[in-house]
Amino acid sequence: MSIELSDYGRALEVFEADMGRAGEDVVSILLYGSVARGDISPGRSDLLDAYVFLDERVFDDRERFIAALEVMAGACERLALSGIPFHPFHYFGMDEIGRTPALYLPSWSSDSFSRALAGEDVRAQIGSSAASREAAAASFFEARRSMGHGLARYYNKEELTELDRERVMHGLVSLKKHITIMACLALGRWVEATRAVGELEEALPGLDTGVLKVVAARREVPPAHLDEGELRTLIREMLTFVEDLHDRLVARLRATPAGA
Amino acid sequence: MREMHNQPTPPPKPRGWLAAFTQYVKRRYEEEKVKSSGRVEEAADKLIAALGKDLHCLVYYPHLIPSKKFPHPFTVGGLVVVFNDDVQSTVELILKAHAAAPPDMSLHCLRRSELPELSLPAFTWLDMVNKHVRLPYLLRHKGVVLYGEDVRRLISLPAPDVLLNLHVEACRHFVRNHMILGWLATGNYAALVNKLDWQIRCLMATALLSHGLLDERADSIPESFARCFPESRASQVWEEFRALDAGAAGSAGPASRRTALEAAWLFENFLRCLEGQPK
């Protein structure tokens, strides 16, 4: 099945209509990611990067909550049938709007990165706790070990199965997207994900980001067609990038007094 | 001959000399059990041989995830591989360490001066948060030094309430979409109920840090939680969750969906109770 750009628009219309069944219990539906930015790659961009905010009273009443959940799960079922790559959206109570994860705050700062699909545009109210901001700014260090070093286990494996290749590629793409934004947050630069690489190149002169471009170019190759030797080289180069980024980051943080 | 350190660090919040002595005996017992486990020994030997003079120390810790499958110790555990500070490039060492360690063990590689990074808060994927949230406590209080310097005293302990709030935040973000909506949409009702049960136990384990409790079996965690937080409505919510007919969730028909929806409702309630948890 060939996915066209127009299919995304139609899927969103159906989603909006489905969510309308919850009436005023849905206060706001916000989009972020490629659909909100308007840079959809048909067939590759997935649905649905969205935050749905529910009336906080939904969480006080068992039947009201279950009714809202049925509407949201039903909307997910329909989206999954569209043929477009799909993952479920996030939902929050309006009383949680000031306590969303800080890692994603930059997405809500501009119309270039997010937009309201339905209901009130509540982006200006979205916030995070101080602890969440602190965690977002420190997440790079855990991600370095779990996401970055985690790929090393495949490097010396005698044979990479198709599933292994898929996991390696997924890990590389995930690192490209997330480790860069986490590094920016560690530097106190709260930028949206698409701006992260440029921001790092500016903040840490000499950082070689070449492997990120290679990963971006190879992500559309089916796992079965990925050469084992090339994947091992990519793992080593990504690990080199992550470790270099870590060392430069630590050097910068040590040289910059806290709060400066 | 490999150097080993067996001195236990003080147990968390001992109450009276008898409690402290009991903790000490338990800890020595656990350390001896770990060292007598051939699997950890074998992994340690391979890592020491692979990393040579660049290895500063090696610490084992029991796993952090309460699991029904591996009630105690939770699973096979994890290893912290500490390189010397004068190591210039860590890339080759990380590749060697991962080649030497069993793939089912968590592995943390870093230089000695980077040890404080293990205690930093993190917001990553839920399975990583589930593992990371109790790591400093397990290292400090349950860690066993297999080689080199005893660095357990260098591991700082984040405030338990901060960790709990981060754990709740990660659940709000990742459980609601991937588990609750995702599995309701695909009709995976029994899996949803089981996973929410497991996730509630993980959250309880984090909450118990504020009472200095680490050595909890997955099946006894709810009981300890109820004992430590007698005034909390979270314990009542758990009782309601436990009363759900898990068997119904695995059957066909509307009853199974209703059970899964009820489980999601109770999970939401549990999260909200934890946020207002009396300390």
Side-chain angles (χ1 to χ4, degrees):
Chain A
M1 178 183 169
S2 169
I3 306 288
E4 309 289 335
L5 188 59
S6 56
D7 293 324
Y8 286 80
R10 268 193 295 276
L12 284 179
E13 281 171 20
V14 171
F15 172 69
E16 195 180 339
D18 282 344
M19 292 297 286
R21 288 168 44 223
E24 291 183 357
D25 279 350
V26 172
V27 175
S28 176
I29 301 175
L30 303 178
L31 299 178
Y32 63 99
S34 57
V35 175
R37 291 193 303 266
D39 57 7
I40 294 170
S41 302
R44 202 184 79 184
S45 297
D46 55 13
L47 290 173
L48 181 65
D49 286 339
Y51 273 21
V52 171
F53 285 97
L54 303 171
D55 186 315
E56 62 203 61
R57 289 169 296 184
V58 167
F59 293 84
D60 295 334
D61 181 311
R62 182 187 298 249
E63 294 310 319
R64 195 168 167 183
F65 173 81
I66 287 177
L69 204 50
E70 285 279 35
V71 169
M72 292 191 289
C76 287
E77 282 174 49
R78 293 249 283 178
L79 279 173
L81 290 174
S82 69
I84 298 171
F86 167 73
H87 61 80
F89 50 87
H90 302 273
Y91 65 85
F92 297 91
M94 275 301 286
D95 57 338
E96 295 168 334
I97 198 163
R99 290 177 286 131
T100 66
L103 194 61
Y104 307 104
L105 280 181
S107 293
W108 311 115
S109 63
S110 156
D111 288 343
S112 306
F113 312 130
S114 58
R115 69 179 169 94
L117 176 71
E120 292 174 40
D121 184 352
V122 295
R123 285 178 293 169
Q125 297 175 52
I126 295 179
S128 302
S129 66
S132 180
R133 285 171 174 270
E134 198 183 319
S139 292
F140 171 86
F141 297 97
E142 195 276 338
R144 169 207 180 195
R145 299 192 308 274
S146 57
M147 295 166 77
H149 298 181
L151 282 175
R153 72 180 46 176
Y154 294 100
Y155 183 79
N156 290 310
K157 216 176 160 196
E158 260 179 42
E159 188 188 347
L160 295 177
T161 63
E162 192 171 333
L163 183 62
D164 287 336
R165 293 174 201 209
E166 197 176 328
R167 284 179 176 161
V168 168
M169 207 56 219
H170 181 265
L172 289 167
V173 170
S174 194
L175 268 168
K176 173 187 166 290
K177 184 175 175 185
H178 298 289
I179 204 90
T180 47
I181 184 70
M182 287 173 179
C184 285
L185 299 185
L187 287 165
R189 296 185 175 218
W190 292 74
V191 295
E192 200 266 347
T194 51
R195 308 278 168 91
V197 177
E199 197 76 16
L200 283 180
E201 286 171 338
E202 184 193 303
L204 303 171
L207 179 72
D208 182 358
T209 58
V211 68
L212 303 178
K213 295 172 183 80
V214 179
V215 169
R218 302 299 284 160
R219 65 179 292 185
E220 291 188 65
V221 177
H225 296 171
L226 288 166
D227 176 67
E228 269 199 35
E230 184 190 2
L231 274 181
R232 288 183 212 278
T233 304
L234 276 178
I235 291 173
R236 177 185 280 275
E237 286 177 0
M238 184 58 93
L239 193 53
T240 304
F241 167 73
V242 170
E243 289 303 284
D244 185 34
L245 177 56
H246 169 269
D247 292 352
R248 287 170 187 267
L249 203 54
V250 170
R252 170 62 64 88
L253 293 173
R254 282 181 182 155
T256 312
Chain B
M1 172 102 178
R2 190 187 314 155
E3 187 185 349
M4 285 188 175
H5 295 277
N6 305 325
Q7 301 90 338
T9 54
K13 293 188 181 177
R15 297 187 186 104
W17 70 269
L18 185 60
F21 180 70
T22 308
Q23 287 271 23
Y24 170 79
V25 172
K26 270 190 187 171
R27 182 182 172 101
R28 288 302 300 264
Y29 171 74
E30 289 299 328
E31 288 190 352
E32 289 307 315
K33 205 165 67 174
V34 165
K35 281 184 287 187
S36 63
S37 148
R39 204 151 175 274
V40 174
E41 280 282 288
E42 191 185 330
D45 287 341
K46 282 186 183 172
L47 282 163
I48 292 162
L51 301 172
K53 62 178 176 45
D54 292 321
L55 180 63
H56 182 79
C57 68
L58 185 60
V59 185
Y60 170 84
Y61 64 94
H63 213 285
L64 5 114
I65 301 176
S67 152
K68 285 179 174 174
K69 198 173 169 191
F70 302 103
H72 186 77
F74 295 139
T75 61
V76 290
L79 291 161
V80 175
V81 179
V82 184
F83 307 134
N84 290 320
D85 274 337
D86 58 5
V87 161
Q88 287 303 308
S89 169
T90 48
V91 175
E92 292 303 326
L93 298 175
I94 292 164
L95 290 172
K96 282 182 190 173
H98 278 268
D104 56 348
M105 268 191 189
S106 295
L107 197 62
H108 303 265
C109 298
L110 69 181
R111 298 181 181 95
R112 186 185 183 280
S113 60
E114 295 161 7
L115 280 167
E117 292 177 14
L118 293 171
S119 304
L120 291 173
F123 185 90
T124 48
W125 310 147
L126 185 61
D127 59 340
M128 295 175 192
V129 174
N130 279 338
K131 287 179 183 176
H132 178 76
V133 74
R134 301 201 307 152
L135 175 62
Y137 282 83
L138 289 165
L139 269 176
R140 176 85 170 252
H141 295 300
K142 300 283 174 191
V144 179
V145 180
L146 299 169
Y147 173 85
E149 185 191 8
D150 184 352
V151 292
R152 290 175 296 184
R153 71 191 188 286
L154 303 177
I155 307 296
S156 58
L157 301 177
D161 58 334
V162 171
L163 293 176
L164 180 61
N165 285 335
L166 283 175
H167 207 170
V168 169
E169 181 177 275
C171 286
R172 273 205 308 261
H173 200 77
F174 293 114
V175 173
R176 287 173 172 176
N177 63 341
H178 288 303
M179 280 184 217
I180 295 179
L181 290 183
W183 290 354
L184 279 175
T186 51
N188 229 342
Y189 308 131
L192 175 59
V193 174
N194 284 332
K195 191 71 178 179
L196 292 178
D197 175 317
W198 183 82
Q199 193 60 48
I200 287 175
R201 290 170 198 258
C202 281
L203 285 162
M204 285 178 169
T206 303
L208 288 172
L209 289 178
S210 65
H211 282 252
L213 291 182
L214 270 172
D215 192 23
E216 292 296 325
R217 290 161 47 113
D219 52 4
S220 63
I221 281 176
E223 196 183 304
S224 301
F225 184 84
R227 203 172 51 246
C228 290
F229 301 102
E231 305 300 320
S232 170
R233 216 187 88 69
S235 293
Q236 295 168 34
V237 173
W238 165 251
E239 286 304 317
E240 282 184 62
F241 191 100
R242 213 172 57 160
L244 286 175
D245 183 359
S251 63
S256 59
R257 186 172 178 89
R258 179 70 197 187
T259 304
L261 290 164
E262 294 272 352
W265 159 253
L266 292 170
F267 182 76
E268 290 287 355
N269 269 261
F270 189 81
L271 287 184
R272 286 176 174 249
C273 291
L274 278 191
E275 285 183 299
Q277 188 69 67
K279 303 295 183 297

